[in-house]
Amino acid sequence: MTRRSEALQLFVDTAFVAYDQFAQAPESRRSILQIFEALETAGEERPGLGTRLPVCDHLDRALAVETKQNSLHRVVDRFKEIEPLLEWRRRSNYDGSASANFVDSHANAMIIGPGGLEERRDVWLGVTLLAPNVRYPDHDHAPEEVYLVLSDGEFRQGEGAWFSPGIGGSFYNPPEIKHAMHSLDAPLFAFWALLAERPARTRPFSDQTTQGN
Ligand SMILES: [Fe+2]
C-alpha cells in the first residue's frame, strides 16, 4: 500500500481537522467526510516541480492569517511546508465576468488531484490565491465542492448576493452551480475540496475537467 510523504500526510491531517471544525452545513459535512475517508488511502505521489507565478508574491501576506483558531494556523503551517513543491497555474478559460486584471492576479494550485502532488481523480484538494481587488470569473463544474476560506473576501453562488464567509468560513457548492469570488483590499486565499467521483455504489460524475477550481 502506498504511503504518503510525511509533509503531505500532515497537511491532509490538519486540513481534515480544520474542515471538520468549520464545514458545518449538512451537505458540507457529508461531502468532507466522504472526501477525507477517500484520502485515508494514499494515491500516487509525484515530485512537485515547484513552479510559482508572479502573483505568488502575495502569498506571505495571504498566509499571515489573523485568527485565534489554532486549527487554521496548523493547516496554514502545513500548507507552507508543501507549497514549495506546488505547481501554481492560471485558469485557462474565463469570460468577461473576470476583472481586467484577472490573468496576472490569480493562481490555483492542485495539492491532491489531477496535476497535484498526489495524482488521483476521485478527490481534489487545492487552493486559490487572488491578489487584492481581483474578481475570479463565474465558473461551474460537475463535482460538488466545499470551500474553506482563510481571508476576507466575497463569494457568490448562482445569481445570489455576494457574501463574506470570513476567516474560517466554509460553504458548499452543489454540482454544476455557478460560483465566483473576489478579493477586497487584501489578497484572498481559500482551500477547496471536491468530490470528483462519488464512492462506489453511485455512478461517477461525467464531464470532468482538470481545471481544478
Ligand atoms: Fe469551484
Side-chain angles (χ1 to χ4, degrees), residues 33-83:
L33 291 175
Q34 287 177 327
I35 287 167
F36 285 96
E37 187 179 326
L39 288 175
E40 287 176 11
T41 304
E44 182 194 340
E45 205 157 328
R46 37 189 296 276
L49 299 177
T51 49
R52 277 187 161 191
L53 293 171
V55 69
C56 294
D57 289 350
H58 293 278
L59 205 47
D60 283 349
R61 190 172 160 213
L63 293 176
V65 180
E66 289 182 28
T67 174
K68 293 193 169 76
Q69 298 290 342
N70 287 332
S71 61
L72 298 181
H73 288 298
R74 286 195 195 102
V75 69
V76 166
D77 287 346
R78 294 304 176 185
F79 174 78
K80 287 178 182 170
E81 295 287 323
I82 57 171
E83 189 279 326

Side-chain angles (χ1 to χ4, degrees), residues 91 136 139-141 145 147 173 179 181 192 194 212-213:
R91 186 179 174 85
Y136 198 91
H139 64 288
D140 57 70
H141 38 69
E145 174 178 48
Y147 269 87
N173 282 330
H179 54 288
M181 54 190 144
W192 28 266
L194 286 78
N213 191 320

